[in-house]
Amino acid sequence: DRYYVICSNLIGSCRGSTGPTSANPATGRPYGTDFPVVTVGDMVRAQRALLDALGIPTLLAVAGGSLGGMQALEWAVAYPERVRGCIPIATTARLGAQGVAWNAIARNAIMADPDWQGGHYHGTGRAPDAGIGVARMVGHVTYLSAGAMDEKFGRRLHDRADYSYALRDADFAVESYLRYQAASFAARFDANSYLYLSRALTYFDLARAWGGGDLARALARVRAATLLISFSSDWLYPPGDARAIADALASGGKVVTWHDLDVAYGHDSFLLEEARQAPLIGAFLEHIRGTR
């Protein structure tokens, strides 16, 4: 009843936007891995083009979690005159080596699946479902904290576990859970899109793109007030990454507020802790709405 939210699909995705599953005009077949490399900057330029087509010159705020937070930061730096507020949640100005490594493992799981076929599997009757399933398992484990995993599963056995040590059996509940997540994700998401979006996330480096390697210099372009939210148990996008952004903004005299919420769910906290985030975001929006 107060704000209008615009949420667009991503370039490179298999969810309604142009991506590897789209038809290549040159061949009439899906692009597959002939689709061009996509960056977070490309995603934001596409969003800007959408706003231009809609006739919307400025935004009260840009907001997002994880990859969405990277887009929010890119918006504030690339188009500072069009953004009054920026709300990056559970994100980073660049992924650390550990995050890069986990993403690489997930991508390699897909590409090692014989059914990937170099990315041109559409129309062959085979798809790298096993590979993207393993990639999803890796992602799920990195999104949760050790405490959250233990609380949710511990060493609880699967209902049909028999300690038979048959390698294809899932004796523990966490194994069954991961297999379920793998199968459901493979049924709804394209493997090539996963590769492209994962690579875009990995390439993102705000300091390198806009500041010659200096984050403070890149963020000097920002005019928007910034609300940063991180989570204490997020080891994939640790609170230190948010602190680095906050410090760089503050050093340039920018308006910035940082909240590190003490919660146990790891990176998934940004999806699960809505009740903790909503008052912070609501107050921030009301403040910048009244600021001219």
Side-chain angles (χ1 to χ4, degrees):
D1 60 0
R2 186 178 298 267
Y3 304 111
Y4 191 94
V5 179
I6 303 168
C7 185
S8 64
N9 293 307
L10 292 183
I11 293 290
S13 175
C14 56
R15 294 295 185 184
S17 187
T18 305
T21 60
S22 303
N24 183 344
T27 65
R29 297 189 300 272
Y31 279 100
T33 47
D34 291 333
F35 194 74
V37 172
V38 174
T39 67
V40 170
D42 293 327
M43 297 170 184
V44 169
R45 281 187 287 275
Q47 292 162 6
R48 181 206 60 185
L50 169 64
L51 294 182
D52 289 345
L54 294 173
I56 300 173
T58 60
L59 297 168
L60 177 65
V62 286
S66 195
L67 174 57
M70 293 179 179
Q71 293 168 67
L73 289 168
E74 180 76 15
W75 256 106
V77 171
Y79 306 110
E81 73 286 353
R82 301 186 68 162
V83 179
R84 288 173 53 195
C86 180
I87 311 173
I89 304 169
T91 196
T92 180
R94 69 173 184 180
L95 198 60
Q98 185 168 243
V100 171
W102 283 116
N103 280 349
I105 293 169
R107 288 194 301 273
N108 275 279
I110 292 172
M111 293 185 290
D113 187 330
D115 289 338
W116 184 58
Q117 305 171 71
H120 297 285
Y121 47 85
H122 291 285
T124 68
R126 296 185 291 127
D129 292 342
I132 195 173
V134 173
R136 180 62 167 175
M137 289 182 183
V138 169
H140 238 69
V141 171
T142 61
Y143 299 159
L144 294 171
S145 67
M149 289 281 283
D150 193 58
E151 179 183 344
K152 190 169 186 175
F153 301 107
R155 287 182 57 84
R156 180 165 53 85
L157 293 176
H158 185 270
D159 292 341
R160 294 184 297 277
D162 59 6
Y163 280 125
S164 64
Y165 296 100
L167 295 181
R168 295 183 63 84
D169 289 342
D171 284 331
F172 291 92
V174 67
E175 295 177 292
S176 298
Y177 173 78
L178 289 173
R179 289 188 181 188
Y180 168 79
Q181 291 294 335
S184 61
F185 189 70
R188 72 176 187 272
F189 208 85
D190 177 62
N192 282 335
S193 285
Y194 188 102
L195 294 176
Y196 275 85
L197 298 182
S198 170
R199 182 59 81 181
L201 187 154
T202 301
Y203 280 151
F204 182 70
D205 187 337
L206 202 65
R208 182 179 179 184
W210 293 98
D214 186 331
L215 182 59
R217 181 179 171 188
L219 292 174
R221 296 175 50 86
V222 173
R223 299 183 193 174
T226 302
L227 170 65
L228 283 159
I229 300 177
S230 60
F231 301 93
S232 60
S233 56
D234 186 349
W235 58 274
L236 190 59
Y237 295 74
D241 289 0
R243 179 189 291 276
I245 297 169
D247 289 348
L249 286 167
S251 70
K254 309 299 180 180
V255 177
V256 56
T257 303
W258 171 38
H259 294 275
D260 183 40
L261 303 183
D262 186 15
V263 294
Y265 302 115
H267 187 55
D268 261 358
S269 297
F270 85 94
L271 298 171
L272 301 174
E273 288 288 343
E274 294 178 15
R276 296 280 298 276
Q277 297 172 75
L280 303 176
I281 295 169
F284 176 77
L285 292 175
E286 286 294 285
H287 174 72
I288 61 174
R289 184 170 180 264
T291 303
R292 295 290 186 270

